[in-house]
């Protein structure tokens, strides 16, 4: 039986400022190991620090974390392989991280509840609208 998108195990996790840079990646490795132990294909991480793609592990333990300033998507296992073969499609904003695999989008949007500042709310709305446009398109990486 092959991998099917309807069998995805996706979790969410507020990692409260975990750094994805330098020596602090140790914490991210712990998150990846926990995801592997639980059998999760993807973990949507809020409050992750840094921007880009972090690769960790190798072979069966290979993990990628696609992250913006406040949001990240951790991929592992067969889902990670499919994302790689599908062109590593992603969209990053300050508060939003999204990946597309076989036409399915996994998106995490981070909005702190204390943010009532009009400019922050408008920026967030614009990010969500742009991500919705991207999810409906066939495009890949277009940050």
């Amino acid at each position: 039986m092959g991998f099917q998108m309807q069998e995805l195990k996706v979790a969410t996790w507020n990692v409260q400022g975990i750094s994805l840079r330098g020596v602090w990646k140790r914490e991210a490795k712990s998150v990846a190991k926990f995801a592997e132990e639980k059998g999760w294909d993807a973990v949507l991480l809020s409050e992750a620090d840094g921007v880009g793609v972090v690769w960790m592990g190798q072979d069966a333990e290979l993990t990628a974390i696609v992250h913006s300033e406040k949001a990240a998507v951790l991929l592992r296992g067969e889902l990670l392989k499919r994302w790689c073969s599908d062109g590593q499609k992603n969209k990053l904003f300050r508060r939003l991280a999204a990946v597309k695999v076989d036409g399915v989008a996994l998106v995490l949007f981070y909005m702190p509840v204390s943010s009532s500042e009009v400019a922050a709310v408008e920026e967030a709305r614009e990010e969500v609208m742009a991500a919705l446009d991207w999810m409906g398109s066939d495009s890949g990486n277009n940050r």
Side-chain angles (χ1 to χ4, degrees), residues 77-92:
E78 187 61 30
L79 183 63
L80 175 58
K81 289 178 189 173
R82 300 225 7 199
W83 180 68
C84 289
S85 67
D86 197 30
Q88 299 182 13
K89 297 173 184 168
N90 68 81
K91 184 80 171 168
L92 302 174

Side-chain angles (χ1 to χ4, degrees), residues 95 111 114-126:
R95 298 175 185 268
M111 182 69 181
S114 63
S115 184
S116 59
E117 188 178 311
V118 174
V121 172
E122 182 58 24
E123 175 190 6
R125 187 191 70 75
E126 289 173 8

Side-chain angles (χ1 to χ4, degrees), residues 35-103:
E36 179 185 1
E37 290 169 1
K38 293 293 186 182
W40 297 337
D41 300 297
V43 184
L44 307 178
L45 304 166
S46 58
E47 294 192 45
D49 179 33
V51 176
V53 179
V54 173
W55 295 89
M56 298 180 292
Q58 52 188 293
D59 302 326
E61 296 175 354
L62 184 62
T63 302
I65 302 177
V66 181
H67 58 101
S68 66
E69 290 179 37
K70 292 289 184 182
V73 179
L74 178 149
L75 301 170
R76 54 169 303 282
E78 187 61 30
L79 183 63
L80 175 58
K81 289 178 189 173
R82 300 225 7 199
W83 180 68
C84 289
S85 67
D86 197 30
Q88 299 182 13
K89 297 173 184 168
N90 68 81
K91 184 80 171 168
L92 302 174
F93 292 100
R94 191 164 84 84
R95 298 175 185 268
L96 185 144
V99 299
K100 235 193 257 187
V101 183
D102 294 339

